[in-house]
Amino acid sequence: MADLKVRIAKRCAKEFNDGDFINLGIGLPTMVADYLPEDIMVTCHSENGFAGIDEIATAENLDVDIINSGGTYVTALPRAKFFDIAESFGLVRGGHVKATVLGAMEVAENGDLANWIVPGKKVAGMGGAMDLCAGCPEVIIVMLHTQKGAHKILKECSLPLTAEKCVSKIITEMGVMEVREDGIWVTELHPDFTWEEIQAATGCELHKDPNMKAMEEE
Amino acid sequence: MINKIMTADEAVAGVKDGMTIMVGGFLGTGSPEVLMDALVRKGVKHLTVIGNDGGLAPGQPAGEFGAKTARGIGKLLENHMVDHIIASHIGVNPMINEQVAEGTLRYTLVPQGTLAEKIRAAAYGLGGILTPTGVATPMETEVDELGRTKKVMEIEGKKYLFEMPLHADYSFIRASVADKFGNYYCSKTTKNFNYVMAGAAKKTIIAPEKIVEINEIDPDLFAVAGVLVDAIVEGEKKWQI
C-alpha cells in the first residue's frame, strides 16, 4: 500500500513545470512535494497564509508563527511570501494557483468531485477545499483507484459535492486519466494492470486514448 | 486625547451573553489568548463565535509541539461558552463534535475563502459578495435560520453564489506589533483572519505581542489602520511551546 502511494506521488510530481505555483492537500498529496524534480522551481501554496512551504519544522528551526493549513509547524523558503486569508483565497479563486492536488472519496465522469463530507459521519468541514476546487485551473486527484474494491470513479457522485466539473486529471496506482468533455480517457496504464482490470475497477466507462502508454514512475 | 490602551478585562467588559464575536487565528496560531482568557474570567455564555475553526484542545497538535492549554476559541469551548460556531473547519478540536452530540452547540460551515470575504464585506460596506465557491454543493442548497437559500447568479455564463456580509458585536484580534494608536501588523502565518476582522464588528479589540510608540517604527510596515481599532490590550505573549 505504501509503495502504491509512493508510485502515485512520484507520477504526480511529473505534472509540474518550472515556475509553477501549486497547492498540495493533506496526506498522499503532501507526499508529492518529496518527488518534485530538483532542477525546477515549484512554489507550494499554504492556504492559511503563504506561498513557499519548505519542510516540516524541527525543534531546532521551529518558528511558532509558521504553520501549514493542517496546523503543523513548517519552515518557509527564502522566497516565501506571507499573506492573510483574503489574499490567499484571492490567489486561489483568481486562478493564480495553477493546480491543486487532492484526494477524493468520489469522482464522477464529468469531473464532479466529492471529498469533504459523508452524511451521518462525524463532520470536519470543507476548510479551503471548495475554494481550491472552484478556483484552481487544474484539479488533480491522487488516490488509490478503489476503496478496498468499491468504486470511487463513478458515473455520478452519490456524496455531496465539493465542486462540480472541476477534476482535470486522476492519478491512481493503475494509471493516469484525463477528464474531458466526453468522459474519462486513460492516457497511461500501469504495466501491473490490464485494460480489463482498470475498467473493472472503475464505475463508469473508460476511454482508451489513442496514444495511451505505460505509466512511468521514475 | 484618546487612550486606547487598557487591560484585557476592561476591553471585554461590554461583552454580554448571547453576543456574536469574531476571533482571529488558525488552529490556534495567531489567536488573541489574553482576550480569550479575559472572556473566560468574565464567564459570558451563549456566544455565537465566528472564526476559522475551534482552536485547539489541550495537547494539540499531537506530537512534541502540543500545547499545554487550549488555544483560541478552544478556551471558550472548553468552558461551554459557545452556542453557535461559524467556521470553515470543525474537525480538529474534538470539543466541537462532542458538544454538538450533547446538543449544546450548533455549527454553520462556510468555505474558508468565502468566510474571509463575508467578514471583509461587513468591514468594508459591501452588500455581499459573489463567489464561484460552493456552486452545486450543499452551500447552494442549504437553508439558513430565516428560511432563506442563497441566490445563484449567472454572469457571463458562469454561476456564482451570493453570500451575505457577516457582522459581529466584537472582533478579537491578535497582532504581532502595534503602535499606541492601533496601527498593526501580524507576523507570518499569524495574519490569517486578523486583518479582515478589523472593523467588521461594532468594536475591534487587538492584543499585540509588542506595543511601540507612535512613529517608533516605519509606519509603512503596518498592514491595518489604527482608525479601525477601539482598544489595545497589553499582555499577549509570543506562543511558548
Side-chain angles (χ1 to χ4, degrees):
Chain A
M1 187 83 87
D3 287 350
L4 296 181
K5 288 185 175 174
V6 169
R7 173 192 295 177
I8 296 164
K10 281 182 173 176
R11 175 58 190 81
C12 183
K14 293 156 71 93
E15 290 293 309
F16 306 112
N17 300 312
D18 203 11
D20 280 354
F21 181 32
I22 64 170
N23 183 290
L24 303 175
I26 292 166
L28 174 50
T30 306
M31 290 168 60
V32 174
D34 295 338
Y35 302 104
L36 291 168
E38 301 256 327
D39 59 344
I40 64 170
M41 185 175 77
V42 173
T43 303
C44 291
H45 176 247
S46 192
E47 62 262 32
N48 60 306
F50 70 113
I53 307 174
D54 192 1
E55 292 177 332
I56 304 295
T58 63
E60 285 69 44
N61 63 15
L62 183 131
D63 179 336
V64 293
D65 285 351
I66 310 179
I67 58 166
N68 66 12
S69 59
T72 301
Y73 292 108
V74 293
T75 61
L77 294 169
R79 67 171 184 277
K81 172 71 174 78
F82 294 94
F83 31 70
D84 80 330
I85 294 283
E87 187 175 347
S88 180
F89 283 94
L91 292 169
V92 169
R93 286 186 313 268
H96 308 291
V97 180
K98 176 191 169 186
T100 183
V101 180
L102 295 167
M105 298 176 195
E106 295 178 345
V107 183
E109 64 180 345
N110 68 348
D112 286 357
L113 171 65
N115 72 351
W116 76 281
I117 193 169
V118 178
K121 293 260 177 75
K122 198 185 94 162
V123 176
M126 72 294 283
M130 285 187 181
D131 297 281
L132 285 160
C133 293
C136 293
E138 293 177 36
V139 176
I140 300 171
I141 299 302
V142 290
M143 63 178 188
L144 293 172
H145 203 97
T146 66
Q147 175 68 34
K148 293 174 181 159
H151 290 163
K152 295 171 76 178
I153 304 170
L154 305 164
K155 276 195 82 63
E156 279 179 25
C157 293
S158 64
L159 296 169
L161 297 186
T162 308
E164 65 175 348
K165 297 174 190 158
C166 63
V167 177
S168 47
K169 192 166 275 192
I170 307 165
I171 301 173
T172 75
E173 76 281 16
M174 301 183 91
V176 180
M177 290 143 276
E178 285 180 15
V179 181
R180 299 178 188 163
E181 283 291 311
D182 55 352
I184 297 177
W185 291 73
V186 182
T187 56
E188 295 175 30
L189 178 64
H190 195 275
D192 285 357
F193 300 97
T194 65
W195 176 261
E196 287 69 30
E197 284 171 328
I198 193 172
Q199 177 61 78
T202 307
C204 63
E205 187 190 348
L206 293 175
H207 306 281
K208 193 183 289 186
D209 188 90
N211 298 314
M212 187 177 82
K213 57 180 184 176
M215 179 175 168
E216 296 171 32
E217 288 179 51
E218 300 302 329
Chain B
M1 286 260 277
I2 188 166
N3 177 16
K4 298 182 185 180
I5 299 181
M6 59 184 76
T7 67
D9 292 304
E10 287 166 346
V12 305
V15 181
K16 297 189 173 63
D17 288 357
M19 277 189 167
T20 298
I21 65 169
M22 294 183 180
V23 183
F26 192 109
L27 295 174
T29 294
S31 50
E33 301 299 343
V34 287
L35 292 168
M36 297 300 99
D37 293 338
L39 286 173
V40 170
R41 281 194 296 275
K42 188 168 165 59
V44 281
K45 301 279 183 199
H46 308 300
L47 296 173
T48 292
V49 178
I50 301 166
N52 182 62
D53 51 70
L56 297 180
Q60 290 187 307
E64 60 179 320
F65 306 131
K68 293 178 187 71
T69 62
R71 285 186 79 176
I73 295 168
K75 288 176 176 165
L76 309 182
L77 292 164
E78 192 175 37
N79 289 281
H80 298 271
M81 295 159 64
V82 187
D83 280 8
H84 184 195
I85 183 163
I86 300 171
S88 81
H89 201 276
I90 59 169
V92 174
N93 184 341
M95 290 186 257
I96 295 183
N97 271 290
E98 285 165 19
Q99 292 178 24
V100 169
E102 288 162 6
T104 58
L105 177 68
R106 60 202 167 82
Y107 61 83
T108 301
L109 289 169
V110 182
Q112 214 163 87
T114 302
L115 185 61
E117 292 303 319
K118 284 165 76 76
I119 293 167
R120 210 162 70 109
Y124 291 160
L126 299 176
I129 58 122
L130 290 176
T131 178
T133 304
V135 169
T137 77
M139 297 299 103
E140 180 180 324
T141 48
E142 71 181 3
V143 180
D144 75 8
E145 287 163 349
L146 298 172
R148 302 172 298 192
T149 52
K150 287 173 194 141
K151 292 188 182 76
V152 182
M153 299 176 76
E154 193 166 320
I155 296 166
E156 294 183 341
K158 184 167 175 172
K159 282 184 187 168
Y160 297 85
L161 295 187
F162 175 73
E163 294 275 1
M164 304 273 282
L166 206 44
H167 298 274
D169 295 297
Y170 278 83
S171 283
F172 293 120
I173 286 167
R174 184 191 195 280
S176 295
V177 180
D179 71 14
K180 288 185 171 174
F181 185 62
N183 297 307
Y184 70 90
Y185 73 84
C186 302
S187 151
K188 298 166 185 157
T189 68
T190 70
K191 293 175 187 52
N192 56 62
F193 283 85
N194 284 311
Y195 289 175
V196 286
M197 286 178 174
K202 289 173 192 149
K203 293 275 185 195
T204 296
I205 318 290
I206 66 168
E209 197 177 301
K210 185 178 180 191
I211 301 172
V212 299
E213 295 297 328
I214 288 166
N215 229 14
E216 186 178 332
I217 64 170
D218 180 358
D220 222 21
L221 294 173
F222 293 119
V224 180
V227 290
L228 295 172
V229 174
D230 297 289
I232 305 163
V233 161
E234 294 177 302
E236 185 70 26
K237 301 272 195 303
K238 192 164 192 70
W239 183 252
Q240 301 295 318
I241 297 289

